[in-house]
């Protein structure tokens, strides 16, 4: 990639924001500093960055809500930062779609290292996905009213296109290709996030919840004490 990665740093504390930006710029990243989630949303609509460094406690819309809104549309990497250090806060950040969570005060050098890791993981996954799409050109997965065009990464329900993010698409594909098979959360993490994912398996539950909202008639059901499966009694009907 010839152009430098663009990192958006969203924090109403100007000292932290400027410090983070300075360390990122030393690593040749381009940065955009923002004080509010509302400003960040405007940036997302006009010139989306490659990664977000997102404070949780923001005036107006907080970081959790902003993360939820972004995740409803895309899978861009998000590193959440916060003075809140409880396990509940960290789990909530991951459940809402955060890729990483750092507690203040933190080492700016460690943050830069995590930014590098997230960008490497994300663009490696994208490259693998693109390569897989080329190999699977013209392949389709069809099961009842669901149709997946693998080469185009597009999903249709009863002929109407459904806008799925890349992780939502990967999740639906796993279930559609293996009806009635029960998958553990760890298996789904590997299939959807990759082998090097190190977050909570609660991220699977949140992804299931998002997917159900977009495909309310797709029969994903919980397998208590294990994970999830797509229930199908007959091949032609779901």
């Amino acid at each position: 990639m010839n152009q430098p990665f663009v990192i958006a740093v969203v924090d109403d504390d100007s000292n932290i924001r400027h410090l983070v930006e300075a360390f990122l710029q030393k690593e040749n990243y381009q940065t955009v500093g923002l004080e509010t989630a509302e400003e960040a949303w405007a940036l997302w609509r006009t010139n989306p960055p490659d990664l977000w460094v997102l404070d949780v406690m923001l005036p107006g819309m907080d970081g959790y809500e902003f993360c939820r809104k972004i995740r409803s549309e895309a899978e861009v990497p998000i590193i959440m930062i916060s003075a809140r250090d409880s396990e509940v806060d960290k789990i909530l950040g991951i459940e809402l779609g955060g890729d990483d969570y750092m507690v203040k005060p933190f080492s700016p050098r460690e943050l830069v290292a995590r930014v590098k890791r997230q960008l490497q993981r994300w663009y490696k996954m994208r490259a693998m996905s693109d390569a897989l799409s080329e190999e699977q050109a013209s392949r389709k997965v069809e099961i009842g009213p669901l149709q997946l065009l693998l080469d185009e990464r597009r999903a249709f329900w009863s002929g109407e296109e459904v806008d799925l993010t890349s992780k939502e698409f990967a999740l639906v594909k796993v279930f559609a290709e293996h009806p009635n098979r029960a998958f553990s959360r760890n298996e789904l993490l590997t299939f959807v996030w990759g082998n090097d994912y190190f977050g909570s398996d609660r991220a699977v539950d949140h992804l299931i919840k998002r997917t159900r909202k977009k495909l309310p008639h797709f029969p994903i059901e919980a397998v208590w004490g294990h994970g999830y499966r797509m229930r199908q009694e007959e091949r032609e009907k779901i």
Side-chain angles (χ1 to χ4, degrees):
M1 190 172 184
N2 295 327
Q3 296 296 321
F5 287 114
V6 178
I7 314 298
V9 182
V10 190
D11 197 315
D12 60 329
D13 186 323
S14 60
N15 291 327
I16 293 177
R17 190 174 65 250
H18 293 155
L19 179 64
V20 169
E21 285 193 81
F23 273 83
L24 289 169
Q25 288 167 8
K26 285 182 181 178
E27 298 297 322
N28 297 317
Y29 293 117
Q30 182 179 332
T31 66
V32 180
L34 304 159
E35 293 185 11
T36 68
E38 287 77 12
E39 292 175 343
W41 188 251
L43 177 68
W44 172 252
R45 286 299 186 210
T46 57
N47 193 18
D50 297 297
L51 181 145
W52 297 92
V53 175
L54 175 66
D55 186 28
V56 170
M57 300 300 294
L58 294 169
M61 184 195 313
D62 66 16
Y64 289 138
E65 176 63 15
F66 178 77
C67 183
R68 185 193 64 78
K69 290 183 67 173
I70 290 289
R71 277 294 172 262
S72 69
E73 298 190 2
E75 299 292 348
V76 59
I78 300 174
I79 298 178
M80 306 187 82
I81 58 175
S82 176
R84 295 179 172 182
D85 62 355
S86 74
E87 183 179 3
V88 172
D89 291 314
K90 295 175 184 178
I91 290 174
L92 179 59
I94 297 299
E95 283 187 334
L96 291 176
D99 295 286
D100 202 349
Y101 191 106
M102 295 188 69
V103 176
K104 298 179 180 179
F106 52 80
S107 162
R109 290 186 176 86
E110 181 182 354
L111 175 62
V112 170
R114 295 195 185 200
V115 165
K116 288 181 180 178
R117 178 186 174 96
Q118 289 298 331
L119 288 171
Q120 289 169 354
R121 182 181 66 85
W122 172 241
Y123 287 97
K124 178 182 177 181
M125 287 178 61
R126 262 188 39 173
M128 291 174 62
S129 177
D130 291 344
L132 184 60
S133 293
E134 291 180 8
E135 292 175 6
Q136 296 178 332
S138 301
R139 276 196 59 205
K140 298 178 183 179
V141 174
E142 294 184 272
I143 181 167
L146 176 70
Q147 181 186 70
L148 302 178
L149 303 183
L150 301 182
D151 56 325
E152 300 177 27
R153 311 296 287 180
R154 298 171 69 191
F156 297 83
W157 186 271
S158 296
E160 183 176 345
E161 186 162 7
V162 182
D163 186 18
L164 300 179
T165 67
S166 61
K167 285 189 175 68
E168 292 162 356
F169 187 94
L171 180 75
V172 171
K173 177 176 176 289
V174 168
F175 285 127
E177 290 183 332
H178 303 89
N180 293 319
R181 176 181 166 183
F183 291 93
S184 70
R185 287 177 175 82
N186 284 333
E187 286 178 316
L188 293 173
L189 280 173
T190 299
F191 280 120
V192 177
W193 278 265
N195 290 317
D196 61 347
Y197 180 76
F198 59 94
S200 167
D201 64 5
R202 295 287 294 276
V204 171
D205 300 323
H206 185 67
L207 183 62
I208 293 282
K209 190 181 302 182
R210 282 162 41 198
T211 304
R212 281 173 170 163
K213 289 181 68 175
K214 294 185 179 181
L215 289 169
H217 300 296
F218 189 57
I220 303 175
E221 64 179 25
V223 180
W224 299 113
H226 185 72
Y228 295 91
R229 70 175 163 225
M230 186 200 79
R231 167 75 72 178
Q232 186 194 23
E233 299 299 338
E234 300 178 33
R235 184 67 184 177
E236 281 72 28
K237 296 181 180 181
I238 65 172

